[in-house]
């Protein structure tokens, strides 16, 4: 199974400041079809995960443009340009190039 | 709007089975596959498998093969996930999630807490 490793485990950010989360996969997520099967989710307290980013850098419908994704191969990053109070929760990266689909262990974002 | 509404919380004894439902609305039910994931208390997310509501074909995670069965009822736009031979480690919130592009998920159900306890 592909192992997804996220860092840091948690971060505390002042509103209006940027935040960055790293995700590394144990195998390349670049498929022969040219797509990279890396996704990001945010799970707010007491809620199911919500879809943020697909195929490394494309924002899902309705996701604010302060969220951006980047990376290639095995190294990926989610950035929040200016953190807002509503961004608190756990962020998960996910790969689906190979079954079983696997997730990182999550990064907890809290507001200072 | 897309809605996935899951059945209510369950408490089961070890060795029993549980069947969780996920009723879809707001889109063409047979056009999108459905994933099942779970999340143990205080833990991360775990993929269990996927079902294609159109033909009923399924793919299960190796870990759950032999214990999980995913089915669908197209007349009610409902997906079911049954997990058998329950053990305490199966205590978790179970989520259905609609497939978006190959093997990702956009909309999620609200979750169903399954507690396995003697």
């Amino acid at each position: 199974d592909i192992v997804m490793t996220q860092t840091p485990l948690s971060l505390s950010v002042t509103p209006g400041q940027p935040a960055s989360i790293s995700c590394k996969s144990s195998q390349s997520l670049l498929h022969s079809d040219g797509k990279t099967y890396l996704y990001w989710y945010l799970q707010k307290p007491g809620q199911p995960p919500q879809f943020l980013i697909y195929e490394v850098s494309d924002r899902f419908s309705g996701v604010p443009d302060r969220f951006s994704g980047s990376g290639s191969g095995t190294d990926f990053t989610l950035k929040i340009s200016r953190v807002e109070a509503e961004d608190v929760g756990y962020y998960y990266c996910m790969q689906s190039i190979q079954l079983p689909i696997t997730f990182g262990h999550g990064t907890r974002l809290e507001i200072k | 709007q897309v809605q996935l509404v899951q059945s209510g919380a369950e408490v089961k004894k070890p060795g029993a089975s549980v069947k969780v439902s996920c009723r879809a609305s707001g889109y063409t039910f047979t056009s999108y596959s459905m994933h099942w994931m779970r999340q143990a208390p205080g833990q991360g997310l775990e993929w269990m498998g996927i079902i294609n509501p159109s033909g009923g074909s399924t793919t299960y995670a190796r870990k759950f093969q032999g214990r999980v069965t995913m089915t669908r009822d197209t007349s009610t736009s409902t997906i079911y996930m049954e997990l058998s031979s329950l053990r305490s480690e199966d205590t978790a919130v179970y989520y259905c999630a609609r497939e978006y592009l190959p093997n990702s998920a956009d909309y999620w159900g609200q979750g169903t807490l399954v507690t396995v306890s003697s």
Side-chain angles (χ1 to χ4, degrees):
Chain A
D1 298 357
I2 294 177
V3 176
M4 306 295 287
T5 303
Q6 287 183 233
T7 54
L9 290 180
S10 67
L11 66 165
S12 182
V13 182
T14 301
Q17 293 302 300
S20 180
I21 300 169
S22 171
C23 175
K24 296 183 189 298
S25 58
S26 60
Q27 299 176 36
S28 175
L29 303 185
L30 174 62
H31 194 275
S32 56
D33 64 7
K35 298 179 181 179
T36 300
Y37 290 86
L38 186 282
Y39 308 85
W40 290 97
Y41 292 86
L42 163 60
Q43 186 172 29
K44 297 183 179 181
Q47 296 184 20
Q50 57 188 70
F51 201 21
L52 292 178
I53 302 281
Y54 62 96
E55 293 173 6
V56 179
S57 58
D58 289 326
R59 278 186 302 277
F60 186 58
S61 175
V63 174
D65 61 7
R66 64 178 183 275
F67 291 93
S68 65
S70 62
S72 63
T74 60
D75 290 352
F76 305 94
T77 302
L78 175 70
K79 292 183 178 178
I80 310 173
S81 58
R82 295 173 304 280
V83 169
E84 297 187 4
E86 65 182 23
D87 300 336
V88 297
Y90 281 86
Y91 289 80
Y92 294 95
C93 59
M94 182 194 90
Q95 69 78 25
S96 67
I97 192 172
Q98 178 189 107
L99 295 181
I101 290 171
T102 51
F103 294 84
H105 288 290
T107 295
R108 181 186 179 191
L109 175 67
E110 63 175 22
I111 300 296
K112 278 185 183 175
Chain B
Q1 72 282 21
V2 175
Q3 280 197 307
L4 303 176
V5 179
Q6 297 183 221
S7 48
E10 303 261 14
V11 179
K12 296 292 182 181
K13 293 194 182 303
S17 297
V18 67
K19 192 170 186 177
V20 180
S21 68
C22 170
R23 183 162 187 166
S25 62
Y27 69 97
T28 302
F29 176 69
T30 51
S31 295
Y32 294 82
S33 292
M34 196 78 75
H35 296 274
W36 284 94
M37 328 274 193
R38 73 178 187 178
Q39 187 171 34
Q43 302 300 310
L45 295 157
E46 183 174 32
W47 182 79
M48 300 180 69
I50 186 170
I51 180 169
N52 182 333
S54 178
S57 62
T58 55
T59 301
Y60 302 137
R62 203 166 42 246
K63 174 177 178 177
F64 298 102
Q65 281 178 357
R67 281 210 305 145
V68 70
T69 304
M70 297 177 189
T71 56
R72 92 290 191 213
D73 181 345
T74 56
S75 68
T76 60
S77 299
T78 302
I79 299 284
Y80 299 93
M81 187 283 299
E82 184 170 21
L83 189 62
S84 62
S85 302
L86 290 169
R87 32 207 189 233
S88 59
E89 310 89 89
D90 294 318
T91 293
V93 176
Y94 290 76
Y95 293 103
C96 60
R98 190 184 77 160
E99 179 166 69
Y100 177 80
L101 304 178
N103 286 338
S104 65
D106 53 4
Y107 295 95
W108 295 56
Q110 84 277 18
T112 297
L113 175 61
V114 175
T115 303
V116 183
S117 174
S118 54

